Amino acid sequence: MAAPPDEKYFVRMNPPLPISRVINLISEGSQRLWATDESDARRSLLASDIGSVLDIDGSFALVAQDGERVVLARSLDRPMRYFLAKAADGPVLIVAERIDQIAAELARHGWADQFHPSYTRMVPAHHVTTLRLIGCPDPNPVHRRFFDPPRGTLPKDLDLIGRHYIEAVYGELRRWLSVQHPAAPIGVPFSGGIDSGAILLCLYKLLLNEGHSPSRLKAFTLSVDGEGEDARQAHDFLSRTHLEMLGEIIDVSSSALDPLRAVAVIEDYKPLDVECAAVNLALLSCLRERYPDWRLLVDGDGGDENLKDYPIEANSELTIRSVVNNRMLYQEGWGVDSIKHSLTYSGGYSRACVRGYACAREYEFEGFSPYTRPSIIAVAEAIPFAELTAGSHERLYALKGEVVARGVRSVLGLDMPVFPKRRFQHGSVSAGAAARLFPQNEARYRRHFQTLHAAVV
């Protein structure tokens, strides 16, 4: 009887298939996981129970692989991009935070001719994205939702709604604070508006309740050329809440505002996001110069999205019915299954999160907004907006101040001043300078964005 063929024979006759490669450029140090380690979080991504991803606490952009199957997921507060390259031995998936990182990696491997910015893809928030690296051609990714809170389940009781909302904000801040160094200073980019105001008051009470000194806390307000309504509003807010000792004005020159640099930092060209990033970069630059070792910032990003506080009239694609009846419209845009969903950028705050995250990373700050956390978005989604507003724009715009002020009073025992909504970039400059500094020129920003990769494409 002939001897069985040895192992080398089988290898010669059945050569192994090329290993599907994943190049992950997102550093482990950038993950901010509160209650689990990265390996456990990756196992959650691969698990059949997709709901376990919702249990991953903190800020994350994670990749997990099982053979040819690759899964990706991120929290709402940060970007995560990918690009599928073609190598001689099979597909290569490149994952990164930024488009320029992907371009540089392709160039490093000699694949620059495959690159175009529009070929990069953003992982949509609140979804697990699954790709199969089989090659020639690779199938489209599959997006499975892991966060789907019930809508409109709360009663039409503004006191109850406000209490639930601020309890959730306070709870998320408490969990965040528990994983920080007990002496690390905390900065709040502060306009005196509803979102930053509630953040500041919650943090102040939280520090006292947890036995920490409130001297750790600072409210930083940007003033361009010594002007801007935010500086006056912030002073009024702090005076009326007897917290003047927390305030600090950050004065910058209008010459420090550079929208084209902001385009490069956030890798986007939408005017409102570019302008917000421009003033944010000016603020953070000055903060870094003034406080070389400062790390923690807590902002109010996502608050407008949660309570639907945007002027519907400014967007011809929106009606009040679409705003109040579509799930997480301002957080996610029209959704991954819609024609209007951008594969390159995602939608809603899922796209706009870069204006805060990338600017903070540019100056080595670690930012956090509790308003982006699922527990708070879940409370917001449970608000019966359609019933409370009855088709009235004015009722919708007034709702946010009512909800937050009532919640602050109920949970914190404080009376919070409520001022009219104003965008960051408009409140930091004089009314006369706003049009000159921020001309709303999307075509100019788009052209500049295209030049950033002109040498490659």
Side-chain angles (χ1 to χ4, degrees), residues 103-114:
E105 186 68 15
L106 288 168
R108 193 172 74 84
H109 290 277
W111 302 330
D113 59 340
Q114 299 185 32

Side-chain angles (χ1 to χ4, degrees), residues 336-363:
V336 297
D337 296 323
S338 75
I339 289 176
K340 291 183 180 181
H341 178 75
S342 169
L343 299 178
T344 305
Y345 285 107
S346 188
Y349 189 77
S350 180
R351 173 178 187 160
C353 68
V354 183
R355 72 187 178 214
Y357 184 84
C359 293
R361 289 294 294 260
E362 183 78 2
Y363 288 102

Side-chain angles (χ1 to χ4, degrees), residues 54-68:
L54 193 56
D55 297 328
I56 302 175
D57 273 345
S59 176
F60 60 88
L62 296 168
V63 185
Q65 183 174 10
D66 180 16
E68 69 182 28

Side-chain angles (χ1 to χ4, degrees), residues 30-34 56-60 75-78 168-180 185-190 195-196 198-200 202-203 206 217 280 284 294-303 349 353 356-361 364-377:
S30 74
Q31 312 293 343
R32 297 287 180 263
L33 301 176
W34 298 350
I56 302 175
D57 273 345
S59 176
F60 60 88
S75 49
L76 178 62
D77 62 330
R78 61 187 296 169
V169 173
Y170 186 91
E172 290 294 343
L173 285 170
R174 188 171 184 268
R175 296 169 72 197
W176 171 84
L177 185 67
S178 70
V179 298
Q180 308 305 326
I186 302 167
V188 177
F190 184 69
D195 294 319
S196 63
I199 292 291
L200 187 71
C202 282
L203 279 171
L206 177 61
L217 191 59
N280 198 17
L284 297 178
W294 202 291
R295 183 172 61 91
L296 301 178
L297 296 175
V298 183
D299 61 54
D301 260 10
Y349 189 77
C353 68
Y357 184 84
C359 293
R361 289 294 294 260
E364 300 182 323
F365 287 102
E366 182 183 320
F368 172 66
S369 172
Y371 297 122
T372 65
R373 298 288 300 141
S375 68
I376 297 169
I377 297 173

Side-chain angles (χ1 to χ4, degrees), residues 68-88:
E68 69 182 28
R69 180 170 72 106
V70 182
V71 292
L72 308 96
R74 68 177 174 100
S75 49
L76 178 62
D77 62 330
R78 61 187 296 169
M80 184 182 196
R81 299 184 177 278
Y82 62 94
F83 184 99
L84 193 61
K86 297 295 185 182

Side-chain angles (χ1 to χ4, degrees), residues 63-190:
V63 185
Q65 183 174 10
D66 180 16
E68 69 182 28
R69 180 170 72 106
V70 182
V71 292
L72 308 96
R74 68 177 174 100
S75 49
L76 178 62
D77 62 330
R78 61 187 296 169
M80 184 182 196
R81 299 184 177 278
Y82 62 94
F83 184 99
L84 193 61
K86 297 295 185 182
D89 57 353
V92 180
L93 185 71
I94 301 173
V95 183
E97 291 181 344
R98 298 182 54 82
I99 294 173
D100 57 14
Q101 290 175 323
I102 292 174
E105 186 68 15
L106 288 168
R108 193 172 74 84
H109 290 277
W111 302 330
D113 59 340
Q114 299 185 32
F115 175 78
H116 192 280
S118 65
Y119 296 164
T120 65
R121 296 288 180 259
M122 179 81 89
V123 175
H126 301 152
H127 292 74
V128 170
T129 295
T130 301
L131 300 101
R132 294 195 174 274
L133 306 185
I134 58 176
C136 298
D138 295 279
N140 281 327
V142 174
H143 306 294
R144 295 183 298 157
R145 177 176 291 281
F146 66 81
F147 177 49
D148 189 11
R151 305 188 67 246
T153 57
L154 286 172
K156 294 190 299 180
D157 182 340
L158 295 184
D159 288 319
L160 179 67
I161 291 170
R163 177 164 59 80
H164 280 307
Y165 190 72
I166 296 301
E167 281 178 344
V169 173
Y170 186 91
E172 290 294 343
L173 285 170
R174 188 171 184 268
R175 296 169 72 197
W176 171 84
L177 185 67
S178 70
V179 298
Q180 308 305 326
H181 189 282
I186 302 167
V188 177
F190 184 69

